[in-house]
Amino acid sequence: MDDAARDPVPQVATAGEYVALLRDVRRRSGLTYRELARRASAAGHWLPPSTLATMLGRTTLPRERTVVALLAACGTPAPEVERWLETRRDLEAHLGERGRGESDEERTSAGSSTTVPATIHPGVSAVPPRPVAPWPARRWLRLALLAVLGVLTVGASGALRPLAPPAADSSPTEGCPAVLRQGMYGPCVLNLQEHLAADGLTVLVDGWFGPDTTGRVMVFQAFGGLPVNGTADERLFDELAGDRRVPTTWPEDRIGKHLRQTFPEDPAGAVRVARCLSGLDPYRVEVVEDGSRRWGLFQFSDVEVSRFGVDHRTALDPDWSIRAAREIWSRTGDFGHWPCAA
């Protein structure tokens, strides 16, 4: 297409206008939300139909990775995708200067004449190319190694269970089960771990759904108001792809300082016990053999959390955990309530 035949370069001043351009791209593609989800998955992205519908129905600035997934599904060339992202970053910076609390409508009614030029063209090509993604070589090397490891391990012992392809339309991500759970491994789990890490949780991104990943899933579920079961289904991925992030918790030095102040009788013992129980990780969740869970710095059990009359989200608050531990210590005078072998 020559320059004369291209649409005029759009000007965007609000997040709502940016989303309107994305809606126009989706309309031009002629694809349904489910078809777009499949094409995004084929290009290596996660874009559930419900997430896409939510993004295009809002007037807030969408996440970069969701924009990339939509544009890749629509077949937008990689250089155009990058210009979309540059426009989004410029718009984010511009709106941040105007005040993060204002809505799009308030900014428009304020009479601002400043616009952010966008050199984007919402076109659709016949074959969707893969947009430029971060660390592509490293990511695909990991996936290849995981695939080889899976074949060798299953062939040798049969102890590990690979991810079997689901029936048609059973999951927004083709090739992945509708539910991921502990014991699984592979690219689908790798994708889950990358989402958890992007949303503020420290997790080893190795493609193995082990106890650590289960605990991190439970943390995200607790903060998101989801059923806390440690499995990842479509609803969980929808939340991970949205704007929700797990709050930043306390660093180790702050935890150590608070422990020493709260337990002046035995400050070193308080730090030692908490480190032994949770590694001084306020978001530590462990599942014990009977299926019950232990939460937070002092690993309070489900029963103890219930007796204190708090929810799981509160149990992950380091301040609450330390105060609750002090309450127990004040009755016993020692840390015998928490036997812990290093």
Side-chain angles (χ1 to χ4, degrees):
M1 180 182 296
D2 57 30
D3 292 340
R6 296 172 68 93
D7 291 340
V9 176
Q11 302 286 317
V12 292
T14 68
E17 292 176 5
Y18 186 84
V19 174
L21 291 178
L22 291 173
R23 284 197 296 268
D24 188 55
V25 171
R26 205 285 302 177
R27 179 184 58 80
R28 288 168 178 259
S29 74
L31 300 171
T32 66
Y33 285 1
R34 185 163 292 278
E35 289 170 336
L36 288 169
R38 291 189 181 122
R39 288 165 68 97
S41 176
H45 304 282
W46 179 271
L47 187 65
S50 56
T51 298
L52 178 58
T54 299
M55 178 187 76
L56 296 181
R58 291 177 174 173
T59 58
T60 54
L61 205 58
R63 286 190 172 190
E64 283 194 10
R65 66 189 184 198
T66 312
V67 173
V68 171
L70 171 60
L71 296 176
C74 290
T76 306
E80 295 288 338
V81 172
E82 184 56 34
R83 283 194 282 272
W84 274 91
L85 296 181
E86 289 174 1
T87 299
R88 184 201 172 280
R89 294 166 192 148
D90 290 343
L91 182 60
E92 183 176 40
H94 171 67
L95 297 181
E97 293 173 358
R98 295 293 308 278
R100 299 183 182 275
E102 294 179 329
S103 66
D104 290 340
E105 293 75 15
E106 287 172 334
R107 295 187 186 100
T108 303
S109 63
S112 171
S113 60
T114 304
T115 59
V116 179
T119 57
I120 52 180
H121 175 66
V124 179
S125 60
V127 180
R130 176 183 294 278
V132 177
W135 340 289
R138 195 169 65 186
R139 173 184 172 88
W140 290 109
L141 178 60
R142 288 203 308 268
L143 297 183
L145 290 174
L146 286 169
V148 173
L149 176 63
V151 171
L152 293 176
T153 307
V154 173
S157 65
L160 301 182
R161 180 157 51 95
L163 297 180
D169 296 333
S170 62
S171 171
T173 298
E174 293 190 10
C176 293
V179 178
L180 302 178
R181 54 175 52 88
Q182 186 168 319
M184 293 180 171
Y185 67 92
C188 300
V189 177
L190 192 72
N191 183 40
L192 167 65
Q193 292 168 331
E194 289 178 340
H195 274 76
L196 291 169
D199 283 71
L201 285 168
T202 302
V203 62
L204 182 62
V205 181
D206 59 358
W208 174 254
F209 201 133
D212 182 55
T213 299
T214 299
R216 291 322 198 201
V217 168
M218 288 183 176
V219 171
F220 186 86
Q221 290 170 330
F223 278 100
L226 302 174
V228 183
N229 52 29
T231 62
D233 55 13
E234 182 175 348
R235 183 180 176 189
L236 177 78
F237 273 103
D238 281 354
E239 292 293 327
L240 284 169
D243 296 328
R244 185 189 306 279
R245 285 183 62 86
V246 173
T248 302
T249 192
W250 293 6
E252 282 194 16
D253 56 349
R254 182 179 177 185
I255 292 171
K257 180 179 179 180
H258 196 50
L259 282 168
R260 288 187 287 270
Q261 291 175 343
T262 305
F263 295 92
E265 302 87 350
D266 188 2
V271 174
R272 182 178 62 254
V273 169
R275 187 182 297 278
C276 181
L277 291 168
S278 64
L280 296 184
D281 179 3
Y283 287 167
R284 181 69 170 265
V285 179
E286 291 206 16
V287 181
V288 295
E289 292 182 359
D290 62 3
S292 62
R293 288 79 55 92
R294 297 188 180 278
W295 301 84
L297 278 177
F298 281 88
Q299 291 290 279
F300 289 107
S301 67
D302 284 328
V303 173
E304 290 175 316
V305 170
S306 177
R307 286 176 178 171
F308 274 108
V310 299
D311 56 17
H312 294 130
R313 177 171 180 167
T314 303
L316 296 170
D317 176 20
D319 180 61
W320 177 86
S321 189
I322 293 173
R323 286 189 288 107
R326 175 67 194 191
E327 182 178 331
I328 294 175
W329 189 93
S330 65
R331 296 196 298 264
T332 62
D334 57 34
F335 293 103
H337 180 79
W338 297 278
C340 182

Short mmCIF file of all heavy atoms in Angstrom, two decimals, residues 166-233:
data_model
loop_
_atom_site.label_atom_id
_atom_site.label_comp_id
_atom_site.label_asym_id
_atom_site.label_seq_id
_atom_site.Cartn_x
_atom_site.Cartn_y
_atom_site.Cartn_z
N PRO A 166 -5.43 -30.57 25.03
CA PRO A 166 -6.83 -30.67 25.40
C PRO A 166 -7.69 -30.84 24.17
O PRO A 166 -7.24 -30.71 23.04
CB PRO A 166 -7.10 -29.32 26.05
CG PRO A 166 -6.16 -28.40 25.34
CD PRO A 166 -4.94 -29.22 25.02
N ALA A 167 -8.96 -31.12 24.42
CA ALA A 167 -9.92 -31.18 23.33
C ALA A 167 -10.11 -29.80 22.76
O ALA A 167 -9.78 -28.78 23.37
CB ALA A 167 -11.25 -31.74 23.84
N ALA A 168 -10.68 -29.71 21.58
CA ALA A 168 -10.86 -28.42 20.91
C ALA A 168 -11.68 -27.48 21.76
O ALA A 168 -12.68 -27.86 22.35
CB ALA A 168 -11.55 -28.65 19.56
N ASP A 169 -11.21 -26.23 21.81
CA ASP A 169 -11.90 -25.15 22.51
C ASP A 169 -11.97 -25.36 24.02
O ASP A 169 -12.78 -24.74 24.70
CB ASP A 169 -13.34 -24.96 21.98
CG ASP A 169 -13.34 -24.50 20.53
OD1 ASP A 169 -12.35 -23.87 20.12
OD2 ASP A 169 -14.32 -24.79 19.83
N SER A 170 -11.14 -26.27 24.59
CA SER A 170 -11.20 -26.49 26.04
C SER A 170 -10.42 -25.44 26.79
O SER A 170 -10.56 -25.30 27.99
CB SER A 170 -10.65 -27.88 26.38
OG SER A 170 -9.29 -27.97 26.01
N SER A 171 -9.57 -24.67 26.11
CA SER A 171 -8.77 -23.64 26.77
C SER A 171 -8.48 -22.53 25.79
O SER A 171 -8.30 -22.79 24.60
CB SER A 171 -7.46 -24.24 27.29
OG SER A 171 -6.61 -23.22 27.75
N PRO A 172 -8.43 -21.28 26.26
CA PRO A 172 -8.08 -20.18 25.36
C PRO A 172 -6.67 -20.33 24.78
O PRO A 172 -6.37 -19.74 23.76
CB PRO A 172 -8.18 -18.94 26.25
CG PRO A 172 -9.04 -19.35 27.38
CD PRO A 172 -8.76 -20.80 27.59
N THR A 173 -5.78 -21.07 25.45
CA THR A 173 -4.45 -21.29 24.93
C THR A 173 -4.38 -22.70 24.37
O THR A 173 -4.45 -23.67 25.11
CB THR A 173 -3.39 -21.11 26.04
OG1 THR A 173 -3.45 -19.78 26.52
CG2 THR A 173 -2.01 -21.37 25.50
N GLU A 174 -4.24 -22.82 23.06
CA GLU A 174 -4.23 -24.12 22.44
C GLU A 174 -3.01 -24.91 22.89
O GLU A 174 -1.92 -24.39 23.03
CB GLU A 174 -4.24 -23.97 20.92
CG GLU A 174 -5.54 -23.37 20.40
CD GLU A 174 -5.62 -23.43 18.89
OE1 GLU A 174 -4.78 -24.10 18.28
OE2 GLU A 174 -6.54 -22.81 18.33
N GLY A 175 -3.22 -26.21 23.08
CA GLY A 175 -2.14 -27.08 23.52
C GLY A 175 -1.98 -27.15 25.01
O GLY A 175 -1.13 -27.88 25.49
N CYS A 176 -2.77 -26.38 25.78
CA CYS A 176 -2.67 -26.39 27.24
C CYS A 176 -3.96 -26.93 27.84
O CYS A 176 -5.05 -26.70 27.31
CB CYS A 176 -2.42 -24.98 27.78
SG CYS A 176 -0.81 -24.30 27.33
N PRO A 177 -3.85 -27.65 28.97
CA PRO A 177 -5.06 -28.10 29.66
C PRO A 177 -5.88 -26.92 30.17
O PRO A 177 -5.36 -25.81 30.32
CB PRO A 177 -4.50 -28.93 30.82
CG PRO A 177 -3.08 -29.22 30.47
CD PRO A 177 -2.62 -28.08 29.63
N ALA A 178 -7.14 -27.18 30.43
CA ALA A 178 -7.99 -26.13 30.98
C ALA A 178 -7.55 -25.73 32.38
O ALA A 178 -7.78 -24.60 32.81
CB ALA A 178 -9.45 -26.59 31.01
N VAL A 179 -6.91 -26.65 33.11
CA VAL A 179 -6.45 -26.38 34.47
C VAL A 179 -5.00 -26.88 34.59
O VAL A 179 -4.69 -28.01 34.22
CB VAL A 179 -7.33 -27.07 35.52
CG1 VAL A 179 -6.78 -26.82 36.92
CG2 VAL A 179 -8.77 -26.60 35.42
N LEU A 180 -4.13 -26.01 35.10
CA LEU A 180 -2.75 -26.39 35.42
C LEU A 180 -2.65 -26.62 36.92
O LEU A 180 -3.20 -25.85 37.70
CB LEU A 180 -1.77 -25.30 35.00
CG LEU A 180 -1.76 -24.89 33.52
CD1 LEU A 180 -0.76 -23.76 33.30
CD2 LEU A 180 -1.43 -26.07 32.64
N ARG A 181 -1.93 -27.67 37.31
CA ARG A 181 -1.81 -27.97 38.74
C ARG A 181 -0.42 -28.54 39.03
O ARG A 181 0.34 -28.85 38.11
CB ARG A 181 -2.88 -28.97 39.17
CG ARG A 181 -2.93 -30.24 38.37
CD ARG A 181 -3.94 -31.23 38.95
NE ARG A 181 -5.24 -30.65 39.13
CZ ARG A 181 -6.19 -30.62 38.19
NH1 ARG A 181 -5.95 -31.11 37.00
NH2 ARG A 181 -7.36 -30.07 38.44
N GLN A 182 -0.13 -28.69 40.32
CA GLN A 182 1.18 -29.15 40.75
C GLN A 182 1.52 -30.51 40.13
O GLN A 182 0.67 -31.40 40.06
CB GLN A 182 1.25 -29.24 42.27
CG GLN A 182 2.64 -29.56 42.80
CD GLN A 182 2.75 -29.35 44.29
OE1 GLN A 182 2.22 -28.37 44.81
NE2 GLN A 182 3.42 -30.24 44.99
N GLY A 183 2.77 -30.66 39.69
CA GLY A 183 3.22 -31.89 39.07
C GLY A 183 3.36 -31.77 37.57
O GLY A 183 4.03 -32.59 36.94
N MET A 184 2.73 -30.75 36.96
CA MET A 184 2.83 -30.56 35.52
C MET A 184 4.10 -29.77 35.19
O MET A 184 4.69 -29.12 36.05
CB MET A 184 1.60 -29.83 34.99
CG MET A 184 0.31 -30.62 35.09
SD MET A 184 -1.10 -29.68 34.43
CE MET A 184 -2.38 -30.93 34.43
N TYR A 185 4.50 -29.83 33.93
CA TYR A 185 5.65 -29.06 33.51
C TYR A 185 5.51 -28.77 32.02
O TYR A 185 4.70 -29.37 31.32
CB TYR A 185 6.96 -29.82 33.77
CG TYR A 185 7.11 -31.06 32.92
CD1 TYR A 185 7.76 -31.01 31.69
CD2 TYR A 185 6.58 -32.27 33.32
CE1 TYR A 185 7.87 -32.13 30.90
CE2 TYR A 185 6.68 -33.39 32.54
CZ TYR A 185 7.33 -33.33 31.32
OH TYR A 185 7.44 -34.44 30.54
N GLY A 186 6.29 -27.82 31.53
CA GLY A 186 6.28 -27.52 30.12
C GLY A 186 6.01 -26.05 29.84
O GLY A 186 5.95 -25.21 30.74
N PRO A 187 5.83 -25.70 28.55
CA PRO A 187 5.64 -24.31 28.16
C PRO A 187 4.43 -23.65 28.80
O PRO A 187 4.46 -22.45 29.09
CB PRO A 187 5.48 -24.39 26.63
CG PRO A 187 6.13 -25.67 26.24
CD PRO A 187 5.92 -26.60 27.39
N CYS A 188 3.36 -24.40 29.01
CA CYS A 188 2.15 -23.81 29.62
C CYS A 188 2.45 -23.35 31.05
O CYS A 188 1.99 -22.28 31.48
CB CYS A 188 1.01 -24.81 29.61
SG CYS A 188 0.53 -25.36 27.95
N VAL A 189 3.20 -24.15 31.79
CA VAL A 189 3.58 -23.78 33.16
C VAL A 189 4.56 -22.61 33.11
O VAL A 189 4.49 -21.70 33.95
CB VAL A 189 4.19 -24.97 33.90
CG1 VAL A 189 4.65 -24.57 35.29
CG2 VAL A 189 3.18 -26.12 33.99
N LEU A 190 5.47 -22.63 32.16
CA LEU A 190 6.41 -21.52 32.00
C LEU A 190 5.66 -20.21 31.79
O LEU A 190 5.99 -19.18 32.38
CB LEU A 190 7.34 -21.80 30.83
CG LEU A 190 8.56 -20.90 30.68
CD1 LEU A 190 9.58 -21.20 31.75
CD2 LEU A 190 9.18 -21.07 29.31
N ASN A 191 4.62 -20.27 30.97
CA ASN A 191 3.81 -19.08 30.72
C ASN A 191 3.14 -18.59 32.01
O ASN A 191 3.11 -17.39 32.31
CB ASN A 191 2.75 -19.41 29.66
CG ASN A 191 1.91 -18.20 29.29
OD1 ASN A 191 2.41 -17.09 29.17
ND2 ASN A 191 0.62 -18.41 29.11
N LEU A 192 2.62 -19.53 32.79
CA LEU A 192 2.01 -19.18 34.08
C LEU A 192 3.02 -18.51 34.99
O LEU A 192 2.74 -17.46 35.60
CB LEU A 192 1.46 -20.44 34.75
CG LEU A 192 1.08 -20.32 36.23
CD1 LEU A 192 -0.09 -19.36 36.41
CD2 LEU A 192 0.73 -21.70 36.81
N GLN A 193 4.22 -19.07 35.11
CA GLN A 193 5.24 -18.51 35.99
C GLN A 193 5.66 -17.11 35.54
O GLN A 193 5.88 -16.23 36.38
CB GLN A 193 6.44 -19.45 36.03
CG GLN A 193 6.15 -20.77 36.71
CD GLN A 193 7.24 -21.80 36.51
OE1 GLN A 193 7.95 -21.79 35.49
NE2 GLN A 193 7.41 -22.70 37.46
N GLU A 194 5.75 -16.89 34.23
CA GLU A 194 6.11 -15.56 33.74
C GLU A 194 5.03 -14.55 34.07
O GLU A 194 5.32 -13.40 34.40
CB GLU A 194 6.37 -15.63 32.24
CG GLU A 194 7.66 -16.36 31.88
CD GLU A 194 7.89 -16.46 30.39
OE1 GLU A 194 6.92 -16.29 29.63
OE2 GLU A 194 9.04 -16.68 29.98
N HIS A 195 3.76 -14.96 34.00
CA HIS A 195 2.67 -14.07 34.38
C HIS A 195 2.74 -13.73 35.87
O HIS A 195 2.54 -12.59 36.27
CB HIS A 195 1.32 -14.72 34.06
CG HIS A 195 0.86 -14.50 32.65
ND1 HIS A 195 1.39 -15.17 31.58
CD2 HIS A 195 -0.09 -13.67 32.14
CE1 HIS A 195 0.80 -14.78 30.47
NE2 HIS A 195 -0.11 -13.86 30.78
N LEU A 196 3.00 -14.74 36.71
CA LEU A 196 3.10 -14.50 38.15
C LEU A 196 4.24 -13.52 38.46
O LEU A 196 4.08 -12.60 39.28
CB LEU A 196 3.32 -15.82 38.89
CG LEU A 196 2.16 -16.81 38.92
CD1 LEU A 196 2.62 -18.16 39.45
CD2 LEU A 196 0.99 -16.27 39.76
N ALA A 197 5.38 -13.73 37.81
CA ALA A 197 6.52 -12.85 38.03
C ALA A 197 6.21 -11.43 37.57
O ALA A 197 6.58 -10.45 38.23
CB ALA A 197 7.76 -13.39 37.31
N ALA A 198 5.52 -11.31 36.43
CA ALA A 198 5.18 -9.98 35.92
C ALA A 198 4.20 -9.25 36.82
O ALA A 198 4.13 -8.02 36.82
CB ALA A 198 4.61 -10.09 34.51
N ASP A 199 3.42 -10.01 37.60
CA ASP A 199 2.43 -9.40 38.47
C ASP A 199 2.93 -9.23 39.91
O ASP A 199 2.13 -9.02 40.82
CB ASP A 199 1.14 -10.22 38.45
CG ASP A 199 0.34 -9.96 37.19
OD1 ASP A 199 0.77 -10.40 36.11
OD2 ASP A 199 -0.71 -9.30 37.27
N GLY A 200 4.25 -9.33 40.11
CA GLY A 200 4.82 -8.94 41.39
C GLY A 200 5.22 -10.06 42.32
O GLY A 200 5.60 -9.79 43.46
N LEU A 201 5.17 -11.32 41.86
CA LEU A 201 5.51 -12.43 42.74
C LEU A 201 6.85 -13.03 42.32
O LEU A 201 7.07 -13.33 41.15
CB LEU A 201 4.43 -13.51 42.68
CG LEU A 201 3.13 -13.16 43.42
CD1 LEU A 201 2.04 -14.14 43.06
CD2 LEU A 201 3.35 -13.15 44.93
N THR A 202 7.73 -13.24 43.29
CA THR A 202 9.01 -13.87 43.01
C THR A 202 8.80 -15.37 42.88
O THR A 202 8.34 -16.03 43.82
CB THR A 202 10.01 -13.59 44.15
OG1 THR A 202 10.16 -12.18 44.30
CG2 THR A 202 11.35 -14.21 43.84
N VAL A 203 9.10 -15.92 41.71
CA VAL A 203 8.92 -17.34 41.48
C VAL A 203 9.98 -17.80 40.48
O VAL A 203 10.37 -17.05 39.58
CB VAL A 203 7.50 -17.65 40.94
CG1 VAL A 203 7.27 -16.97 39.60
CG2 VAL A 203 7.25 -19.15 40.85
N LEU A 204 10.47 -19.01 40.66
CA LEU A 204 11.45 -19.57 39.74
C LEU A 204 10.76 -19.90 38.42
O LEU A 204 9.82 -20.71 38.38
CB LEU A 204 12.08 -20.82 40.34
CG LEU A 204 13.18 -21.49 39.51
CD1 LEU A 204 14.35 -20.54 39.32
CD2 LEU A 204 13.64 -22.78 40.17
N VAL A 205 11.19 -19.28 37.33
CA VAL A 205 10.58 -19.50 36.02
C VAL A 205 11.34 -20.62 35.33
O VAL A 205 12.30 -20.40 34.59
CB VAL A 205 10.61 -18.20 35.18
CG1 VAL A 205 9.95 -18.42 33.83
CG2 VAL A 205 9.93 -17.06 35.93
N ASP A 206 10.93 -21.87 35.62
CA ASP A 206 11.63 -23.04 35.10
C ASP A 206 10.71 -24.02 34.39
O ASP A 206 11.17 -25.08 33.95
CB ASP A 206 12.38 -23.74 36.22
CG ASP A 206 11.44 -24.21 37.35
OD1 ASP A 206 10.22 -23.94 37.26
OD2 ASP A 206 11.92 -24.86 38.30
N GLY A 207 9.42 -23.70 34.29
CA GLY A 207 8.50 -24.60 33.60
C GLY A 207 8.01 -25.76 34.43
O GLY A 207 7.25 -26.60 33.93
N TRP A 208 8.40 -25.83 35.69
CA TRP A 208 7.98 -26.93 36.57
C TRP A 208 6.99 -26.41 37.61
O TRP A 208 7.28 -25.49 38.37
CB TRP A 208 9.19 -27.55 37.28
CG TRP A 208 8.82 -28.60 38.29
CD1 TRP A 208 8.85 -28.48 39.64
CD2 TRP A 208 8.32 -29.90 38.02
NE1 TRP A 208 8.42 -29.63 40.23
CE2 TRP A 208 8.09 -30.53 39.27
CE3 TRP A 208 8.05 -30.61 36.84
CZ2 TRP A 208 7.59 -31.84 39.35
CZ3 TRP A 208 7.57 -31.91 36.94
CH2 TRP A 208 7.35 -32.51 38.19
N PHE A 209 5.80 -27.00 37.64
CA PHE A 209 4.75 -26.59 38.59
C PHE A 209 4.99 -27.36 39.89
O PHE A 209 4.36 -28.39 40.16
CB PHE A 209 3.37 -26.92 38.02
CG PHE A 209 2.24 -26.12 38.63
CD1 PHE A 209 1.29 -25.52 37.83
CD2 PHE A 209 2.12 -25.98 40.01
CE1 PHE A 209 0.25 -24.79 38.36
CE2 PHE A 209 1.08 -25.25 40.56
CZ PHE A 209 0.14 -24.65 39.73
N GLY A 210 5.91 -26.84 40.69
CA GLY A 210 6.23 -27.47 41.95
C GLY A 210 5.56 -26.76 43.12
O GLY A 210 4.71 -25.88 42.95
N PRO A 211 5.95 -27.11 44.35
CA PRO A 211 5.34 -26.50 45.54
C PRO A 211 5.49 -24.98 45.58
O PRO A 211 4.59 -24.29 46.05
CB PRO A 211 6.09 -27.17 46.70
CG PRO A 211 6.58 -28.46 46.13
CD PRO A 211 6.89 -28.19 44.70
N ASP A 212 6.63 -24.46 45.11
CA ASP A 212 6.83 -23.01 45.13
C ASP A 212 5.83 -22.31 44.23
O ASP A 212 5.23 -21.29 44.61
CB ASP A 212 8.26 -22.68 44.69
CG ASP A 212 8.55 -21.19 44.75
OD1 ASP A 212 8.37 -20.59 45.82
OD2 ASP A 212 8.96 -20.63 43.72
N THR A 213 5.61 -22.84 43.02
CA THR A 213 4.63 -22.25 42.12
C THR A 213 3.22 -22.37 42.70
O THR A 213 2.42 -21.43 42.61
CB THR A 213 4.69 -22.93 40.74
OG1 THR A 213 5.99 -22.75 40.18
CG2 THR A 213 3.66 -22.35 39.78
N THR A 214 2.92 -23.51 43.31
CA THR A 214 1.61 -23.68 43.95
C THR A 214 1.38 -22.61 45.01
O THR A 214 0.31 -21.99 45.08
CB THR A 214 1.50 -25.07 44.60
OG1 THR A 214 1.63 -26.08 43.59
CG2 THR A 214 0.16 -25.24 45.31
N GLY A 215 2.40 -22.37 45.84
CA GLY A 215 2.27 -21.34 46.87
C GLY A 215 2.06 -19.97 46.29
O GLY A 215 1.24 -19.19 46.80
N ARG A 216 2.78 -19.63 45.23
CA ARG A 216 2.64 -18.31 44.61
C ARG A 216 1.26 -18.15 43.98
O ARG A 216 0.67 -17.07 44.01
CB ARG A 216 3.73 -18.09 43.56
CG ARG A 216 5.13 -17.94 44.11
CD ARG A 216 5.20 -17.15 45.39
NE ARG A 216 6.54 -16.66 45.67
CZ ARG A 216 6.96 -16.30 46.86
NH1 ARG A 216 6.15 -16.39 47.92
NH2 ARG A 216 8.17 -15.82 47.05
N VAL A 217 0.75 -19.22 43.38
CA VAL A 217 -0.61 -19.16 42.83
C VAL A 217 -1.61 -18.88 43.96
O VAL A 217 -2.53 -18.07 43.81
CB VAL A 217 -0.96 -20.48 42.11
CG1 VAL A 217 -2.46 -20.55 41.80
CG2 VAL A 217 -0.17 -20.60 40.81
N MET A 218 -1.44 -19.52 45.11
CA MET A 218 -2.34 -19.30 46.24
C MET A 218 -2.26 -17.87 46.74
O MET A 218 -3.29 -17.27 47.11
CB MET A 218 -2.00 -20.27 47.37
CG MET A 218 -2.40 -21.70 47.10
SD MET A 218 -2.06 -22.79 48.51
CE MET A 218 -2.76 -24.33 47.92
N VAL A 219 -1.06 -17.29 46.73
CA VAL A 219 -0.92 -15.89 47.15
C VAL A 219 -1.72 -14.99 46.21
O VAL A 219 -2.47 -14.11 46.65
CB VAL A 219 0.56 -15.48 47.16
CG1 VAL A 219 0.70 -13.97 47.37
CG2 VAL A 219 1.32 -16.22 48.26
N PHE A 220 -1.56 -15.20 44.91
CA PHE A 220 -2.29 -14.38 43.95
C PHE A 220 -3.79 -14.57 44.11
O PHE A 220 -4.57 -13.60 44.06
CB PHE A 220 -1.87 -14.72 42.52
CG PHE A 220 -2.47 -13.81 41.49
CD1 PHE A 220 -1.84 -12.61 41.16
CD2 PHE A 220 -3.67 -14.12 40.87
CE1 PHE A 220 -2.41 -11.75 40.23
CE2 PHE A 220 -4.24 -13.26 39.93
CZ PHE A 220 -3.60 -12.07 39.62
N GLN A 221 -4.23 -15.80 44.33
CA GLN A 221 -5.65 -16.07 44.53
C GLN A 221 -6.18 -15.38 45.79
O GLN A 221 -7.28 -14.83 45.79
CB GLN A 221 -5.90 -17.57 44.59
CG GLN A 221 -5.70 -18.27 43.25
CD GLN A 221 -5.70 -19.78 43.37
OE1 GLN A 221 -5.30 -20.34 44.39
NE2 GLN A 221 -6.13 -20.46 42.32
N ALA A 222 -5.37 -15.41 46.86
CA ALA A 222 -5.80 -14.78 48.11
C ALA A 222 -5.98 -13.28 47.92
O ALA A 222 -6.96 -12.69 48.41
CB ALA A 222 -4.79 -15.08 49.22
N PHE A 223 -5.05 -12.63 47.24
CA PHE A 223 -5.15 -11.18 47.04
C PHE A 223 -6.21 -10.82 46.00
O PHE A 223 -6.75 -9.73 46.02
CB PHE A 223 -3.79 -10.62 46.61
CG PHE A 223 -2.86 -10.36 47.75
CD1 PHE A 223 -1.86 -11.26 48.06
CD2 PHE A 223 -2.98 -9.22 48.53
CE1 PHE A 223 -0.99 -11.05 49.12
CE2 PHE A 223 -2.12 -8.99 49.59
CZ PHE A 223 -1.13 -9.90 49.89
N GLY A 224 -6.50 -11.76 45.09
CA GLY A 224 -7.48 -11.47 44.04
C GLY A 224 -8.89 -11.85 44.38
O GLY A 224 -9.79 -11.67 43.55
N GLY A 225 -9.12 -12.40 45.57
CA GLY A 225 -10.47 -12.80 45.93
C GLY A 225 -10.95 -14.03 45.18
O GLY A 225 -12.16 -14.25 45.03
N LEU A 226 -10.01 -14.85 44.71
CA LEU A 226 -10.35 -16.07 43.98
C LEU A 226 -10.34 -17.27 44.93
O LEU A 226 -9.76 -17.20 46.03
CB LEU A 226 -9.34 -16.31 42.86
CG LEU A 226 -9.18 -15.19 41.82
CD1 LEU A 226 -8.03 -15.52 40.87
CD2 LEU A 226 -10.47 -15.01 41.04
N PRO A 227 -10.96 -18.38 44.54
CA PRO A 227 -10.85 -19.59 45.37
C PRO A 227 -9.38 -19.98 45.53
O PRO A 227 -8.64 -20.09 44.55
CB PRO A 227 -11.61 -20.64 44.55
CG PRO A 227 -12.57 -19.86 43.71
CD PRO A 227 -11.86 -18.58 43.37
N VAL A 228 -8.95 -20.18 46.76
CA VAL A 228 -7.54 -20.46 47.04
C VAL A 228 -7.32 -21.97 46.98
O VAL A 228 -7.43 -22.67 47.99
CB VAL A 228 -7.13 -19.89 48.41
CG1 VAL A 228 -5.63 -20.12 48.65
CG2 VAL A 228 -7.43 -18.40 48.48
N ASN A 229 -7.03 -22.47 45.78
CA ASN A 229 -6.86 -23.90 45.60
C ASN A 229 -5.52 -24.27 44.99
O ASN A 229 -5.20 -25.45 44.83
CB ASN A 229 -7.98 -24.47 44.73
CG ASN A 229 -8.15 -23.71 43.42
OD1 ASN A 229 -7.20 -23.14 42.90
ND2 ASN A 229 -9.38 -23.67 42.91
N GLY A 230 -4.70 -23.29 44.59
CA GLY A 230 -3.37 -23.58 44.07
C GLY A 230 -3.33 -24.10 42.66
O GLY A 230 -2.27 -24.50 42.18
N THR A 231 -4.46 -24.08 41.95
CA THR A 231 -4.48 -24.49 40.55
C THR A 231 -4.75 -23.27 39.68
O THR A 231 -5.33 -22.28 40.14
CB THR A 231 -5.56 -25.55 40.29
OG1 THR A 231 -6.86 -25.01 40.58
CG2 THR A 231 -5.33 -26.78 41.16
N ALA A 232 -4.34 -23.36 38.42
CA ALA A 232 -4.47 -22.22 37.50
C ALA A 232 -5.47 -22.57 36.41
O ALA A 232 -5.23 -23.47 35.61
CB ALA A 232 -3.11 -21.88 36.89
N ASP A 233 -6.59 -21.86 36.39
CA ASP A 233 -7.60 -22.07 35.37
C ASP A 233 -7.76 -20.78 34.55
O ASP A 233 -7.01 -19.82 34.71
CB ASP A 233 -8.94 -22.49 35.99
CG ASP A 233 -9.43 -21.49 37.04
OD1 ASP A 233 -8.86 -20.36 37.11
OD2 ASP A 233 -10.37 -21.82 37.77
#
